[in-house]
Structures are given as structure tokens and as C-alpha cells.
């Protein structure tokens, strides 16, 4: 069930059987010579939309711009300041809580979001505690809990990535994430040569430092190994992991 494809009456009905929702969250940033700029938002969106097809799950809109300041040296990349992202997540969760949602699972596609998402959760819980809600005070909303899952963290997904790509997987513009988008959007597959075949790895600070160290945008990866067939397998594995994680969280 997709929130954007539903009426308010359908959401009311859903809330009678579940108080949980999934929010795909990612980023808008360069992904090397053959990766789509929307990759980190598209991957969790693709997987969560697939997962809800045969499970009673509600998927909200995709939070598609995240913390990606280090990619601003590449055209088309966008970012939020961490403080802006924290405030936006807080408002998204608070809005959902008004209607009775009590479990919000953020399904993430960008490693650079992790610290900020967790900081947003801390802000949400601090707000609740400081308002006295945790001490038995009256509240017009339920005890909202948040959870963060990264689409690649389910063990079968990571096992496939390591078995299929090995040291060529890398940490940015990876063949696995490119494969997921190729499976979902075959008309948008890009072809490009990689030089060197496996990109360098290392630490970085700001956008200028990142661009100087990783001139084509990749980090430790060879995304030319991506195929739509691999993408379909990864989507299936991650969808199953999400279904299981969501069911457990919704019942908690």
C-alpha cells in the first residue's frame, strides 16, 4: 500500500490494523560514470515498493535529498545541512503521529545519512521526554518509536554482494546499487568505461577534497559489473528482509 496512491479514508482504515509505516530515505548525488544521480533514493524506494506488493505494509513518500555535501563538486548533486534534515525528519514523524502512527521505519539508501537520521531520532525522543510524555503525562499521540534499516544490511544481501563483486564492490557507486536501478529502470542504463577499473578508496572532508581524491565520483568500486539480473536478485533479497523487519517492528 502506497500512501501517495491512497485516499485519507484508506489510511484511516489501515490504521485500524497497523500503526506502522515505512519511509524510504536516500540522497540526490552523483554515482560515478554509469550511476544515476537518484540512486540512493531510488534503491530504497524500488525495494519498499516491491515489498508492499505482497505484504500488508504502508510505504510513505521518499525522502530523497539527504546529507551529501561532499558530492557538491559534481553537477546535479544536492544536499541538506544535518540540522535541516533533522528538523524535516522530526516534522515528518510528528505529522504521522498526529494521525496515530506509532512506528516509523526509515528505509535508507545512503550511508552519509545514518548519523543524521539517528540524531533526528534522538531529537524526537528528547522532545517527548521533555514534554513529560514519558512520565505519565497526558498525550494526544501514541509512543512513537523510530527504526533505521539500510537496504544493503540484511545478511543475504551483503552475502550476495561479497560473493558476486568481492573487492570490486567498494563503498560508493557500487555495482549492487547500480544493478538495482538497472533492474527497475532498464531504459536508463548507462554505459561507461572505468579508469582505473577499481576506483581508489580513502577519507575525505568537503566537496573539493572529495573531487580531488575521487575524480570520477567512485570510491573503491567497479560499477561496470552491475547487471539488471543481479539487481532483480538483490531487490528480492532486500524486500524479504524489509518485510520481516517491518513485521517485527510493527508488532513491538
Amino acid at each position: 500500500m502506497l500512501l501517495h496512491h491512497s485516499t485519507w479514508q484508506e489510511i484511516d482504515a489501515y490504521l485500524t490494523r497497523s500503526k506502522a509505516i515505512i519511509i524510504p530515505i536516500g540522497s540526490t548525488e552523483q554515482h560515478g560514470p554509469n550511476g544515476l544521480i537518484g540512486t540512493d533514493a531510488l534503491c530504497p524506494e524500488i525495494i519498499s515498493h516491491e515489498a508492499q506488493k505482497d505484504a500488508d505494509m504502508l510505504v510513505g513518500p521518499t525522502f530523497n535529498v539527504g546529507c551529501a555535501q561532499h558530492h557538491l563538486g559534481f553537477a546535479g548533486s544536492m544536499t541538506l545541512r544535518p540540522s535541516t534534515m533533522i528538523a524535516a525528519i522530526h516534522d515528518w514523524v510528528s505529522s504521522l503521529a498526529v494521525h496515530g502512527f506509532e512506528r516509523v521505519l526509515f528505509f535508507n539508501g545512503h550511508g552519509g545519512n545514518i548519523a543524521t537520521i539517528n540524531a533526528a531520532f534522538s531529537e524526537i525522543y528528547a522532545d517527548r521526554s521533555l514534554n513529560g510524555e514519558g512520565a505519565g503525562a497526558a498525550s494526544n499521540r501514541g509512543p512513537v518509536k523510530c527504526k533505521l534499516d539500510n537496504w544493503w544490511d540484511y545478511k543475504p544481501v551483503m552475502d550476495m554482494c561479497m560473493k558476486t563483486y568481492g573487492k570490486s564492490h567498494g563503498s560508493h557507486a557500487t555495482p549492487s546499487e547500480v544493478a538495482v536501478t538497472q533492474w527497475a529502470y532498464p531504459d536508463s542504463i548507462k554505459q561507461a568505461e572505468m579508469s582505473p577499473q577499481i576506483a581508489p578508496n580513502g577519507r575525505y572532508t568537503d566537496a573539493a577534497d572529495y573531487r580531488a581524491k575521487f575524480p570520477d565520483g567512485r570510491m573503491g568500486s567497479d560499477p561496470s559489473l552491475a547487471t539488471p539480473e543481479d539487481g532483480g536478485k538483490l531487490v528480492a533479497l532486500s524486500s524479504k528482509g524489509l518485510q520481516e523487519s517491518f513485521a517485527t517492528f510493527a508488532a513491538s
Side-chain angles (χ1 to χ4, degrees):
M1 185 174 182
L2 303 178
L3 187 143
H4 270 183
H5 294 191
S6 305
T7 65
W8 69 264
Q9 295 99 326
E10 290 172 317
I11 302 304
D12 260 354
Y14 174 84
L15 282 163
T16 65
R17 60 184 188 271
S18 178
K19 299 292 192 290
I21 186 171
I22 296 165
I23 302 295
I25 187 166
S27 184
T28 297
E29 62 186 51
Q30 66 81 21
H31 269 77
N34 70 336
L36 307 183
I37 289 174
T39 294
D40 281 353
L42 291 171
C43 285
E45 181 178 87
I46 291 161
I47 295 163
S48 58
H49 284 206
E50 192 69 16
Q52 60 83 38
K53 289 180 179 178
D54 58 357
D56 189 18
M57 306 162 67
L58 178 63
V59 180
T62 301
F63 194 119
N64 60 16
V65 176
C67 289
Q69 59 79 18
H70 50 286
H71 292 294
L72 290 181
F74 298 85
S77 298
M78 300 170 65
T79 195
L80 298 176
R81 295 175 184 272
S83 56
T84 305
M85 189 171 177
I86 289 169
I89 290 173
H90 192 295
D91 287 353
W92 280 44
V93 172
S94 297
S95 297
L96 292 165
V98 166
H99 305 296
F101 287 96
E102 297 179 359
R103 301 290 183 270
V104 185
L105 191 158
F106 283 83
F107 190 51
N108 182 46
H110 175 48
N113 284 343
I114 293 172
T116 302
I117 293 172
N118 282 319
F121 293 171
S122 294
E123 287 282 352
I124 290 163
Y125 299 146
D127 181 55
R128 182 174 174 81
S129 297
L130 289 167
N131 285 336
E133 296 175 33
S139 173
N140 64 350
R141 67 188 191 189
V144 179
K145 294 182 181 179
C146 299
K147 186 175 191 289
L148 169 63
D149 280 9
N150 302 307
W151 75 262
W152 61 84
D153 269 346
Y154 303 126
K155 188 176 185 301
V157 177
M158 187 52 66
D159 286 348
M160 179 180 165
C161 291
M162 293 301 97
K163 181 179 179 180
T164 305
Y165 309 117
K167 66 179 183 180
S168 299
H169 191 245
S171 56
H172 181 67
T174 64
S176 61
E177 59 188 345
V178 172
V180 169
T181 63
Q182 288 181 344
W183 175 80
Y185 298 101
D187 292 340
S188 296
I189 294 175
K190 316 296 182 183
Q191 303 295 335
E193 291 193 18
M194 306 295 156
S195 181
Q197 199 66 37
I198 299 176
N201 226 324
R203 297 181 179 275
Y204 55 86
T205 54
D206 58 12
D209 186 44
Y210 187 102
R211 182 64 190 256
K213 291 176 178 175
F214 313 107
D216 72 357
R218 298 176 295 143
M219 285 186 66
S221 64
D222 178 8
S224 69
L225 298 174
T227 67
E229 293 74 23
D230 284 349
K233 294 174 185 177
L234 290 163
V235 169
L237 291 172
S238 191
S239 294
K240 186 173 187 295
L242 176 59
Q243 288 174 343
E244 293 171 354
S245 178
F246 180 77
T248 300
F249 181 54
S252 66

